[in-house]
Amino acid sequence: MKVTVVGAGAVGASCAEYIAMKNFAAEVVLLDIKEGYAEGKAMDLMQTASLNGFDTKITGTTGDYSKTAGSDIAVITSGIPRKPGMTREELIGINAGIVKSVASSLLEHSPNTIIIVVSNPMDTMTYLVHKTTDLPKNKIIGMGGALDSARFKYRLAEALEAPISDVDGMVIGGHSDKGMVPLIGHATRNSVKVSEFLAADKMQWVVEETKVGGATLTKLLGTSAWYAPGAAVSGLVQAIACDQKKMFPCSALLEGEYGLNDLSIGVPVILGKNGIEKIVEIDLSDAEKAKMQESAEGVKKTNGLLQL
Ligand SMILES: NC(=O)c1ccc[n+]([C@@H]2O[C@H](COP(=O)([O-])OP(=O)(O)OC[C@H]3O[C@@H](n4cnc5c(N)ncnc54)[C@H](O)[C@@H]3O)[C@@H](O)[C@H]2O)c1
């Protein structure tokens, strides 16, 4: 199993580290355009191997895509992150060009790879890869919902004063402050709906804090977060690499599912060796359906900014 991670910045390096720590991949190649940067990050990470007990070989390259040849999975994290006060959508101008050229270079050397898009605005960048490559739709996956769901569970546990292992919940919709749809009505503590434990205002607090989860961290850190994003990507990579058939909310190209068409947006999917093996359509309440529709309109508006 060979995994390439393009962009050896905060998220890319964190993602490579978590993949290595889980010890399921033979090789991780980090690629960046900044001279020596990926090589340096790879060497630093390799020097943790004996300390952390993993055998995954991590190498780095400055822009040499021949080193990524034969990748089973490729993660795109290259591009600029947001600064405090910025929305993810504002990154489109720079990141669209980067994501398009990176996807094309990856496919030249690994025509059968599965691409996981992380760069923001993620749903639109995922759609861009669908529109500009010949990869089948099951092989193009956007990572956002796995992270947003982890942030949702963090806030649920906080509100419930419960350990995180007690709670379960999922965020679907667009990966943006306004577009996220945390499914609070479906969230549970040990299979009991959280509405049994939380008052309506507390549930609303969880929803709102989840939606601005990324912005809260960007304000604190001065740039966007990397540990949870990296861990979330590594979960997707592992599910594909180990054919786990796990369910994650991911940005997938919809063709009628959820009543939506011609966009990539967060919905529950089953991930296995073929990438997206199934889009899972769950029953949504009328209010959730309306939020999903509104979210889709937001994503489509951003997609409209692409010069395809
Ligand atoms: N989808 C998500 O849930 C999620 C979460 C966090 C961050 N992000 C996004 O991920 C991206 C990366 O964030 P970060 O914090 O790691 O940023 P970063 O600045 O730390 O790293 C980005 C790296 O990309 C490299 N790069 C730029 N252009 C490149 C190119 N053409 N080829 C190869 N490498 C290139 C840069 O040199 C840099 O090292 C941002 O767009 C951010 O918004 C998405």
Side-chain angles (χ1 to χ4, degrees), residues 60-175:
T61 170
T62 306
D64 180 0
Y65 278 88
S66 69
K67 301 272 173 58
T68 71
S71 293
D72 300 284
I73 304 171
V75 181
I76 303 181
T77 76
S78 45
I80 53 164
R82 56 182 172 157
K83 295 273 173 238
M86 281 174 91
T87 66
R88 295 176 178 90
E89 289 80 353
E90 286 172 72
L91 306 173
I92 190 170
I94 294 181
N95 287 356
I98 294 176
V99 169
K100 187 177 168 189
S101 79
V102 165
S104 141
S105 305
L106 280 169
L107 289 170
E108 256 172 52
H109 297 272
S110 307
N112 298 316
T113 196
I114 292 173
I115 292 185
I116 300 178
V117 181
V118 182
S119 310
N120 275 317
M122 182 278 295
D123 296 295
T124 295
M125 294 300 103
T126 307
Y127 183 72
L128 176 67
V129 177
H130 279 291
K131 286 285 171 195
T132 56
T133 69
D134 293 329
L135 267 186
K137 63 176 188 160
N138 58 301
K139 289 191 159 192
I140 303 171
I141 306 160
M143 194 297 288
L147 169 65
D148 301 332
S149 300
R151 288 178 172 157
F152 186 36
K153 287 180 240 185
Y154 166 77
R155 289 302 187 191
L156 278 169
E158 196 179 6
L160 288 160
E161 296 181 44
I164 288 191
S165 54
D166 252 17
V167 303
D168 203 5
M170 189 164 58
V171 178
I172 61 171
H175 179 61

